[in-house]
Amino acid sequence: MAARFLLLIMMLVLPVAARAEALQLLMFEQPGCIYCARWNEEVAPQYPLTTEGKAAPLRRLQLRDPLPEDVAVASKPVFTPTFVLLEDGVETGRIEGYPGADFFWPLLAELIADAAAE
């Protein structure tokens, strides 16, 4: 009985865990960016603790650095911060700029929901 229960749990949890690892949120930033600093103050501390942060772990990149080989974006960001949601290394959506926490969270939730729906 316990083995069947464990098997059922694994069948339900593993696809969700695999899906969560497929998503990643890139944050393109640069030194002196006041909106990056605001995001770091208002969002960064709780980001990894949120549903969104668990679904799409944060990866920081410098705006002027070359793109990593495992990242494919529709176009290279031109200003900071730019947040790019990746699924399996490919861009599925982005948020350009930081309009404040009240706007950031719903925009990010929508990007994640859209990626999950595909």
Side-chain angles (χ1 to χ4, degrees):
M1 181 73 172
R4 287 178 125 177
F5 180 71
L6 182 58
L7 180 61
L8 178 61
I9 295 296
M10 288 176 59
M11 289 172 53
L12 294 172
V13 171
L14 286 178
V16 172
R19 179 82 177 150
E21 290 178 17
L23 293 178
Q24 188 174 64
L25 183 67
L26 302 181
M27 177 182 179
F28 288 87
E29 57 189 338
Q30 64 183 339
C33 169
I34 60 171
Y35 295 103
C36 299
R38 274 191 57 212
W39 189 89
N40 286 327
E41 260 182 49
E42 298 173 3
V43 176
Q46 71 261 20
Y47 184 81
L49 308 174
T50 65
T51 302
E52 294 85 357
K54 291 174 184 168
L58 182 68
R59 180 176 175 187
R60 294 171 181 265
L61 298 175
Q62 290 298 308
L63 181 67
R64 307 271 184 247
D65 288 351
L67 285 174
E69 289 185 20
D70 64 334
V71 170
V73 295
S75 62
K76 188 148 188 260
V78 293
F79 58 90
T80 57
T82 296
F83 301 90
V84 177
L85 185 67
L86 300 179
E87 183 173 8
D88 296 324
V90 178
E91 179 176 346
T92 62
R94 70 173 59 193
I95 301 168
E96 295 180 318
Y98 176 64
D102 290 341
F103 292 96
F104 175 79
W105 289 113
L107 291 171
L108 179 58
E110 184 178 343
L111 289 180
I112 292 171
D114 289 348
E118 291 179 1

